[in-house]
């Protein structure tokens, strides 16, 4: 069997599942399983992409270390995500310290996956809805795709691609 050496790293909140948007137009991660809603067309797209790529989720969940959410809630949401999609691995950083190597925009979660799965990062993609997702992908040497939202402006991260609809990934990442 040939080892897969490429992956797509997806951010979780705002990329695969819907977030809430605050009054000052900032995304807020869901905190309870009852609020779990998929972004449109994610199931179809990930099913196609998983034929040629490992599917890996990298997510910052700082609300746990800030005392605004419980770790069990994050784990339950991640487990639901695993049931819905063919996900090879979910990496979660609970820290709110920007110096933490595992916290995006730092590339620690991607480098952990590189080691575990023997990935060629030049053939990998990072897909996210925030500057930190794109910066993380760039630091790791991956191609980057920003999912445009009302709350992002990606002027600081310069993604390789920017899309409005999740389904547009299939025009960028060929399977």
């Amino acid at each position: 069997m040939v080892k897969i050496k490429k992956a797509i790293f997806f951010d979780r909140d705002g990329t695969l599942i819907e977030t809430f948007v605050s009054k000052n137009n900032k995304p807020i991660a869901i905190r309870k399983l009852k609020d779990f809603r998929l972004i449109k067309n994610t199931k179809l797209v990930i099913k196609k992409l998983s034929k040629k790529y490992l599917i890996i989720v990298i997510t910052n969940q700082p609300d746990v270390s800030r005392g605004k959410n419980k770790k069990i809630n994050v784990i339950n949401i991640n487990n639901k995500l695993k049931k819905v999609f063919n996900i090879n691995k979910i990496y979660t950083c609970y820290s709110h310290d920007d110096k933490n190597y595992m916290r995006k925009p730092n590339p620690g979660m991607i480098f952990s996956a590189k080691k575990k799965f023997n990935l060629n990062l030049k053939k990998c993609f990072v897909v996210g809805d925030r500057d930190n997702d794109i910066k993380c992908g760039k630091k790791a040497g991956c191609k980057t795709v920003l999912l445009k939202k009302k709350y992002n402006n990606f002027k600081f991260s310069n993604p390789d691609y920017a899309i409005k609809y999740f389904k547009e990934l299939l025009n960028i990442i060929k399977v």
Side-chain angles (χ1 to χ4, degrees):
M1 188 168 119
V2 177
K3 284 190 174 187
I4 298 174
K5 299 201 184 236
K6 54 188 180 176
I8 304 170
F9 296 93
F10 288 97
D11 171 54
R12 191 187 86 171
D13 302 295
T15 303
L16 296 176
I17 58 178
E18 296 285 353
T19 59
F20 297 110
V21 179
S22 71
K23 291 176 186 169
N24 59 350
N25 206 32
K26 290 194 175 196
I28 302 168
I30 65 169
R31 295 184 179 142
K32 303 230 188 271
L33 193 56
K34 70 177 180 66
D35 296 321
F36 185 96
R37 307 271 184 288
L38 292 175
I39 300 279
K40 187 177 179 182
N41 291 314
T42 51
K43 267 180 148 176
L44 165 84
V45 171
I46 290 192
K47 184 177 180 181
K48 289 182 179 187
L49 293 174
S50 67
K51 291 176 183 175
K52 297 230 175 156
Y53 290 85
L54 293 172
I55 304 300
I56 300 171
V57 174
I58 53 174
T59 181
N60 286 346
Q61 295 298 321
D63 283 353
V64 173
S65 64
R66 290 178 181 140
K68 295 179 179 180
N69 198 3
K70 293 183 175 146
K71 195 172 188 178
I72 190 65
N73 291 336
V74 174
I75 291 167
N76 288 339
I77 292 165
N78 287 350
N79 286 339
K80 170 90 176 195
L81 207 56
K82 285 179 192 173
K83 286 180 186 170
V84 173
F85 299 116
N86 181 21
I87 294 175
N88 298 94
K89 180 81 174 151
I90 297 178
Y91 290 91
T92 306
C93 179
Y94 296 100
S95 175
H96 66 276
D97 181 359
D98 287 336
K99 292 180 182 143
N100 185 313
Y101 183 65
M102 299 305 273
R103 180 174 162 77
K104 295 181 283 181
N106 299 318
M109 290 186 277
I110 291 175
F111 288 148
S112 292
K114 177 186 192 275
K115 186 175 180 181
K116 179 177 176 64
F117 295 105
N118 193 27
L119 299 173
N120 178 347
L121 294 179
K122 290 179 183 168
K123 294 185 176 189
C124 296
F125 290 83
V126 173
V127 181
D129 66 323
R130 311 215 26 207
D131 271 331
N132 278 350
D133 302 317
I134 304 308
K135 287 177 185 175
C136 175
K138 295 256 184 212
K139 286 179 181 180
C142 301
K143 295 177 198 91
T144 58
V145 182
L146 183 98
L147 186 58
K148 291 191 234 176
K149 303 284 185 155
K150 291 178 184 174
Y151 54 78
N152 63 23
N153 61 14
F154 67 92
K155 63 183 175 186
F156 302 111
S157 59
N158 193 25
D160 295 302
Y161 305 93
I163 58 174
K164 188 172 181 180
Y165 302 106
F166 199 84
K167 200 171 183 180
E168 293 175 80
L169 271 178
L170 296 176
N171 297 332
I172 296 166
I173 304 172
K174 304 298 180 199
V175 287

